[in-house]
Amino acid sequence: MYTLAVCAEMVFLDLPVDERARRIHDAGFQVEIWDWTRHDLDALARTPAEFSSMTGYIRGSLTDEEGAAELLRTAEESLRAAEQLGCPRLNLHGTGLDDKGLPVAPVTGSATGEMWIAARRTLTRLAELGESAGVVFTLENLNTAVDHPGVPFATAADTLALVQAVNRPGLRMNLDLYHAQIGEGNLIELVRKAHVLGLIGEIQVADVPGRCEPGTGEINYPAVARTLKELGYEGTVAMEAWASGDSELALECFRSAFTL
């Protein structure tokens, strides 16, 4: 069966992040963090938490030469932080995001052929970095309708196509079902396709609308969980969701939706 993880950036918000990690660990989950530069890594490393994923770069983008060079440089810094925390997966987006989740370099219209070629080249170099370090970079699909307007390669279809084009073990997809529901829907078939291709590095979940814990919106997450069990998925399912109320209750709702 799969492993369950919880994003420490979105629950127990009244506590320091290292205490959030302890609380999540004590509840029986692995821990996800975002931008590691905002946290005390020594304090996090002293917790008993097992870290599932973290942001794998600080700045940069996939498609322009200067942005790709910055992304690769800061990915190397992130690898050192991941080693300190024993974190096996480092997450990526199509471009750098600001503190509101908006792209630093937004794209209007569809990505061009040149952008696709450049993104594949940059992701191949990232995969090589990951393989050398014994970790996996994951490329996350996002949504442009609600949370991240202007992010290139945002859809699950585009993200999956890029990961498939690179075709290296150091790069996998972070399949975010919250974003996919807003952008594309048909979640169970999307999970099946990505799993059959062997390209899922992690699955992230939150409900729609609101981006809160499973059970607060329209997504039938118990059906998704049954599909994962049928497929024999053995990776990580991470709740990247705000607690609609009490954080401990949100964690239990997540556990209930994915415990068969």
Side-chain angles (χ1 to χ4, degrees):
M1 283 288 288
Y2 42 77
T3 299
L4 298 181
V6 173
C7 179
E9 311 282 351
M10 305 178 80
V11 296
F12 301 115
L13 298 182
D14 58 329
L15 299 175
V17 72
D18 57 311
E19 184 58 29
R20 299 181 204 178
R22 290 180 187 275
R23 295 283 289 273
I24 292 168
H25 168 80
D26 290 346
F29 301 95
Q30 293 185 357
V31 177
E32 171 192 310
I33 61 170
W34 290 342
D35 180 2
W36 57 270
T37 65
R38 297 185 296 126
H39 301 314
D40 183 338
L41 294 183
D42 291 334
L44 284 170
R46 286 193 295 269
T47 72
E50 183 175 352
F51 294 91
S52 61
S53 69
M54 57 187 281
T55 302
Y57 69 114
I58 305 169
R59 293 174 298 278
S61 66
L62 296 177
T63 55
D64 65 280
E65 186 174 348
E66 182 177 346
E70 183 67 358
L71 191 152
L72 288 160
R73 187 187 69 77
T74 61
E76 290 180 339
E77 293 182 33
S78 299
L79 284 171
R80 292 190 287 273
E83 183 179 12
Q84 183 175 353
L85 296 180
C87 186
R89 286 180 298 278
L90 291 91
N91 200 41
L92 307 164
H93 310 104
T95 185
L97 302 177
D98 65 18
D99 59 359
K100 297 180 180 179
L102 299 176
V104 175
V107 173
T108 56
S110 301
T112 65
E114 291 80 3
M115 291 172 67
W116 278 87
I117 292 169
R120 179 183 177 183
R121 182 169 57 246
T122 305
L123 288 168
T124 298
R125 294 172 66 188
L126 284 162
E128 292 169 351
L129 281 177
E131 290 159 20
S132 296
V135 301
V136 175
F137 282 95
T138 57
L139 183 63
E140 181 183 0
N141 61 294
L142 302 173
N143 79 79
T144 57
V146 176
D147 298 287
H148 307 289
V151 171
F153 315 112
T155 68
D158 285 353
T159 302
L160 187 61
L162 275 172
V163 174
Q164 190 172 15
V166 172
N167 192 30
R168 296 193 63 122
L171 180 70
R172 288 292 181 264
M173 181 181 187
N174 186 343
L175 177 52
D176 190 306
L177 296 182
Y178 161 79
H179 291 307
Q181 174 69 359
I182 293 172
E184 295 147 280
N186 201 20
L187 300 185
I188 286 178
E189 288 308 309
L190 176 59
V191 166
R192 288 187 190 278
K193 179 179 181 181
H195 178 79
V196 168
L197 291 171
L199 297 179
I200 299 177
E202 181 175 317
I203 294 172
Q204 291 183 332
V205 302
D207 224 326
V208 176
R211 202 177 184 180
C212 293
E213 71 271 12
T216 57
E218 67 192 18
I219 300 177
N220 186 349
Y221 274 120
V224 172
R226 288 192 295 272
T227 299
L228 294 175
K229 183 179 180 180
E230 291 167 5
L231 292 171
Y233 175 69
E234 296 180 343
T236 296
V237 178
M239 187 180 83
E240 193 180 57
W242 305 108
S244 62
D246 180 75
S247 290
E248 290 185 359
L249 180 58
L251 268 59
E252 289 310 309
C253 289
F254 170 49
R255 192 198 316 272
S256 176
F258 282 90
T259 300
L260 301 177

